[in-house]
PDB file of all heavy atoms in Angstrom:
ATOM      1  N   THR L 429      -6.261  16.733 -13.019  1.00 79.00           N
ATOM      2  CA  THR L 429      -5.285  17.820 -12.960  1.00 79.00           C
ATOM      3  C   THR L 429      -4.483  17.836 -14.246  1.00 79.00           C
ATOM      4  O   THR L 429      -4.011  16.790 -14.707  1.00 79.00           O
ATOM      5  CB  THR L 429      -4.342  17.643 -11.765  1.00 79.00           C
ATOM      6  OG1 THR L 429      -5.097  17.625 -10.557  1.00 79.00           O
ATOM      7  CG2 THR L 429      -3.339  18.787 -11.701  1.00 79.00           C
ATOM      8  N   LEU L 430      -4.347  19.011 -14.839  1.00 86.00           N
ATOM      9  CA  LEU L 430      -3.540  19.200 -16.034  1.00 86.00           C
ATOM     10  C   LEU L 430      -2.266  19.947 -15.644  1.00 86.00           C
ATOM     11  O   LEU L 430      -2.317  20.929 -14.890  1.00 86.00           O
ATOM     12  CB  LEU L 430      -4.311  19.999 -17.084  1.00 86.00           C
ATOM     13  CG  LEU L 430      -5.682  19.443 -17.507  1.00 86.00           C
ATOM     14  CD1 LEU L 430      -6.340  20.383 -18.511  1.00 86.00           C
ATOM     15  CD2 LEU L 430      -5.550  18.050 -18.074  1.00 86.00           C
ATOM     16  N   THR L 431      -1.137  19.492 -16.144  1.00 82.00           N
ATOM     17  CA  THR L 431       0.140  20.122 -15.801  1.00 82.00           C
ATOM     18  C   THR L 431       0.864  20.594 -17.057  1.00 82.00           C
ATOM     19  O   THR L 431       0.490  20.247 -18.177  1.00 82.00           O
ATOM     20  CB  THR L 431       1.037  19.129 -15.045  1.00 82.00           C
ATOM     21  OG1 THR L 431       1.251  17.967 -15.855  1.00 82.00           O
ATOM     22  CG2 THR L 431       0.400  18.702 -13.731  1.00 82.00           C
ATOM     23  N   ASP L 432       1.890  21.409 -16.826  1.00 86.00           N
ATOM     24  CA  ASP L 432       2.722  21.951 -17.909  1.00 86.00           C
ATOM     25  C   ASP L 432       1.859  22.622 -18.985  1.00 86.00           C
ATOM     26  O   ASP L 432       1.978  22.352 -20.173  1.00 86.00           O
ATOM     27  CB  ASP L 432       3.573  20.836 -18.524  1.00 86.00           C
ATOM     28  CG  ASP L 432       4.728  21.385 -19.369  1.00 86.00           C
ATOM     29  OD1 ASP L 432       5.105  22.548 -19.144  1.00 86.00           O
ATOM     30  OD2 ASP L 432       5.212  20.658 -20.254  1.00 86.00           O
ATOM     31  N   LEU L 433       0.989  23.512 -18.541  1.00 92.00           N
ATOM     32  CA  LEU L 433       0.020  24.153 -19.440  1.00 92.00           C
ATOM     33  C   LEU L 433       0.598  25.392 -20.118  1.00 92.00           C
ATOM     34  O   LEU L 433       1.563  25.998 -19.644  1.00 92.00           O
ATOM     35  CB  LEU L 433      -1.230  24.551 -18.646  1.00 92.00           C
ATOM     36  CG  LEU L 433      -2.057  23.402 -18.051  1.00 92.00           C
ATOM     37  CD1 LEU L 433      -3.166  23.964 -17.182  1.00 92.00           C
ATOM     38  CD2 LEU L 433      -2.631  22.529 -19.157  1.00 92.00           C
ATOM     39  N   ARG L 434      -0.039  25.766 -21.222  1.00 93.00           N
ATOM     40  CA  ARG L 434       0.256  27.058 -21.847  1.00 93.00           C
ATOM     41  C   ARG L 434      -0.326  28.174 -20.984  1.00 93.00           C
ATOM     42  O   ARG L 434      -1.379  28.011 -20.370  1.00 93.00           O
ATOM     43  CB  ARG L 434      -0.363  27.122 -23.240  1.00 93.00           C
ATOM     44  CG  ARG L 434       0.275  26.178 -24.258  1.00 93.00           C
ATOM     45  CD  ARG L 434      -0.504  26.184 -25.558  1.00 93.00           C
ATOM     46  NE  ARG L 434      -1.806  25.551 -25.397  1.00 93.00           N
ATOM     47  CZ  ARG L 434      -2.789  25.615 -26.283  1.00 93.00           C
ATOM     48  NH1 ARG L 434      -2.634  26.331 -27.386  1.00 93.00           N
ATOM     49  NH2 ARG L 434      -3.928  25.007 -26.072  1.00 93.00           N
ATOM     50  N   GLY L 435       0.362  29.289 -20.948  1.00 93.00           N
ATOM     51  CA  GLY L 435      -0.154  30.401 -20.178  1.00 93.00           C
ATOM     52  C   GLY L 435      -1.403  30.989 -20.824  1.00 93.00           C
ATOM     53  O   GLY L 435      -1.518  31.040 -22.052  1.00 93.00           O
ATOM     54  N   GLY L 436      -2.341  31.418 -19.993  1.00 94.00           N
ATOM     55  CA  GLY L 436      -3.567  32.013 -20.506  1.00 94.00           C
ATOM     56  C   GLY L 436      -4.721  31.804 -19.548  1.00 94.00           C
ATOM     57  O   GLY L 436      -4.529  31.515 -18.360  1.00 94.00           O
ATOM     58  N   THR L 437      -5.933  31.955 -20.065  1.00 95.00           N
ATOM     59  CA  THR L 437      -7.146  31.831 -19.261  1.00 95.00           C
ATOM     60  C   THR L 437      -7.854  30.515 -19.601  1.00 95.00           C
ATOM     61  O   THR L 437      -8.023  30.182 -20.772  1.00 95.00           O
ATOM     62  CB  THR L 437      -8.107  33.007 -19.529  1.00 95.00           C
ATOM     63  OG1 THR L 437      -7.445  34.235 -19.193  1.00 95.00           O
ATOM     64  CG2 THR L 437      -9.367  32.873 -18.693  1.00 95.00           C
ATOM     65  N   TYR L 438      -8.232  29.799 -18.559  1.00 95.00           N
ATOM     66  CA  TYR L 438      -8.959  28.539 -18.720  1.00 95.00           C
ATOM     67  C   TYR L 438     -10.336  28.693 -18.093  1.00 95.00           C
ATOM     68  O   TYR L 438     -10.481  29.260 -16.989  1.00 95.00           O
ATOM     69  CB  TYR L 438      -8.202  27.387 -18.069  1.00 95.00           C
ATOM     70  CG  TYR L 438      -6.930  27.030 -18.797  1.00 95.00           C
ATOM     71  CD1 TYR L 438      -5.780  27.793 -18.638  1.00 95.00           C
ATOM     72  CD2 TYR L 438      -6.880  25.929 -19.647  1.00 95.00           C
ATOM     73  CE1 TYR L 438      -4.609  27.479 -19.314  1.00 95.00           C
ATOM     74  CE2 TYR L 438      -5.715  25.597 -20.335  1.00 95.00           C
ATOM     75  CZ  TYR L 438      -4.576  26.379 -20.158  1.00 95.00           C
ATOM     76  OH  TYR L 438      -3.426  26.068 -20.840  1.00 95.00           O
ATOM     77  N   VAL L 439     -11.341  28.208 -18.792  1.00 95.00           N
ATOM     78  CA  VAL L 439     -12.724  28.301 -18.316  1.00 95.00           C
ATOM     79  C   VAL L 439     -13.271  26.887 -18.113  1.00 95.00           C
ATOM     80  O   VAL L 439     -13.285  26.075 -19.041  1.00 95.00           O
ATOM     81  CB  VAL L 439     -13.608  29.073 -19.311  1.00 95.00           C
ATOM     82  CG1 VAL L 439     -15.056  29.117 -18.798  1.00 95.00           C
ATOM     83  CG2 VAL L 439     -13.082  30.493 -19.523  1.00 95.00           C
ATOM     84  N   LEU L 440     -13.688  26.608 -16.887  1.00 95.00           N
ATOM     85  CA  LEU L 440     -14.375  25.353 -16.583  1.00 95.00           C
ATOM     86  C   LEU L 440     -15.873  25.615 -16.727  1.00 95.00           C
ATOM     87  O   LEU L 440     -16.418  26.491 -16.046  1.00 95.00           O
ATOM     88  CB  LEU L 440     -14.063  24.886 -15.164  1.00 95.00           C
ATOM     89  CG  LEU L 440     -12.589  24.860 -14.723  1.00 95.00           C
ATOM     90  CD1 LEU L 440     -12.469  24.300 -13.312  1.00 95.00           C
ATOM     91  CD2 LEU L 440     -11.749  24.044 -15.683  1.00 95.00           C
ATOM     92  N   LEU L 441     -16.514  24.895 -17.614  1.00 95.00           N
ATOM     93  CA  LEU L 441     -17.933  25.123 -17.903  1.00 95.00           C
ATOM     94  C   LEU L 441     -18.771  23.958 -17.386  1.00 95.00           C
ATOM     95  O   LEU L 441     -18.553  22.800 -17.757  1.00 95.00           O
ATOM     96  CB  LEU L 441     -18.150  25.273 -19.405  1.00 95.00           C
ATOM     97  CG  LEU L 441     -19.609  25.397 -19.851  1.00 95.00           C
ATOM     98  CD1 LEU L 441     -20.224  26.704 -19.333  1.00 95.00           C
ATOM     99  CD2 LEU L 441     -19.720  25.301 -21.369  1.00 95.00           C
ATOM    100  N   PHE L 442     -19.722  24.264 -16.517  1.00 96.00           N
ATOM    101  CA  PHE L 442     -20.717  23.296 -16.058  1.00 96.00           C
ATOM    102  C   PHE L 442     -22.033  23.659 -16.753  1.00 96.00           C
ATOM    103  O   PHE L 442     -22.603  24.738 -16.511  1.00 96.00           O
ATOM    104  CB  PHE L 442     -20.867  23.354 -14.537  1.00 96.00           C
ATOM    105  CG  PHE L 442     -19.588  23.009 -13.804  1.00 96.00           C
ATOM    106  CD1 PHE L 442     -18.698  24.008 -13.418  1.00 96.00           C
ATOM    107  CD2 PHE L 442     -19.281  21.685 -13.513  1.00 96.00           C
ATOM    108  CE1 PHE L 442     -17.520  23.692 -12.752  1.00 96.00           C
ATOM    109  CE2 PHE L 442     -18.100  21.366 -12.843  1.00 96.00           C
ATOM    110  CZ  PHE L 442     -17.219  22.376 -12.467  1.00 96.00           C
ATOM    111  N   ASP L 443     -22.494  22.784 -17.604  1.00 96.00           N
ATOM    112  CA  ASP L 443     -23.601  23.106 -18.517  1.00 96.00           C
ATOM    113  C   ASP L 443     -24.854  22.315 -18.147  1.00 96.00           C
ATOM    114  O   ASP L 443     -24.863  21.084 -18.186  1.00 96.00           O
ATOM    115  CB  ASP L 443     -23.165  22.774 -19.945  1.00 96.00           C
ATOM    116  CG  ASP L 443     -24.191  23.213 -20.984  1.00 96.00           C
ATOM    117  OD1 ASP L 443     -25.306  23.595 -20.596  1.00 96.00           O
ATOM    118  OD2 ASP L 443     -23.865  23.159 -22.184  1.00 96.00           O
ATOM    119  N   ASN L 444     -25.909  23.039 -17.811  1.00 96.00           N
ATOM    120  CA  ASN L 444     -27.200  22.405 -17.512  1.00 96.00           C
ATOM    121  C   ASN L 444     -28.282  22.888 -18.480  1.00 96.00           C
ATOM    122  O   ASN L 444     -29.474  22.798 -18.202  1.00 96.00           O
ATOM    123  CB  ASN L 444     -27.614  22.713 -16.068  1.00 96.00           C
ATOM    124  CG  ASN L 444     -28.749  21.823 -15.587  1.00 96.00           C
ATOM    125  OD1 ASN L 444     -28.834  20.656 -15.962  1.00 96.00           O
ATOM    126  ND2 ASN L 444     -29.636  22.378 -14.759  1.00 96.00           N
ATOM    127  N   THR L 445     -27.856  23.408 -19.640  1.00 95.00           N
ATOM    128  CA  THR L 445     -28.836  23.947 -20.590  1.00 95.00           C
ATOM    129  C   THR L 445     -29.697  22.859 -21.219  1.00 95.00           C
ATOM    130  O   THR L 445     -30.781  23.142 -21.740  1.00 95.00           O
ATOM    131  CB  THR L 445     -28.116  24.719 -21.722  1.00 95.00           C
ATOM    132  OG1 THR L 445     -27.164  23.857 -22.361  1.00 95.00           O
ATOM    133  CG2 THR L 445     -27.395  25.939 -21.157  1.00 95.00           C
ATOM    134  N   TYR L 446     -29.219  21.620 -21.182  1.00 95.00           N
ATOM    135  CA  TYR L 446     -29.994  20.539 -21.786  1.00 95.00           C
ATOM    136  C   TYR L 446     -31.163  20.096 -20.900  1.00 95.00           C
ATOM    137  O   TYR L 446     -32.039  19.362 -21.340  1.00 95.00           O
ATOM    138  CB  TYR L 446     -29.088  19.340 -22.075  1.00 95.00           C
ATOM    139  CG  TYR L 446     -28.461  18.720 -20.843  1.00 95.00           C
ATOM    140  CD1 TYR L 446     -29.056  17.627 -20.210  1.00 95.00           C
ATOM    141  CD2 TYR L 446     -27.275  19.218 -20.312  1.00 95.00           C
ATOM    142  CE1 TYR L 446     -28.473  17.060 -19.083  1.00 95.00           C
ATOM    143  CE2 TYR L 446     -26.703  18.666 -19.197  1.00 95.00           C
ATOM    144  CZ  TYR L 446     -27.300  17.581 -18.577  1.00 95.00           C
ATOM    145  OH  TYR L 446     -26.736  17.029 -17.460  1.00 95.00           O
TER     146      TYR L 446
END
Side-chain angles (χ1 to χ4, degrees):
T429 301
L430 305 178
T431 58
D432 196 22
L433 295 174
R434 292 173 291 168
T437 300
Y438 291 79
V439 179
L440 311 183
L441 175 66
F442 298 93
D443 186 350
N444 194 34
T445 56
Y446 63 95

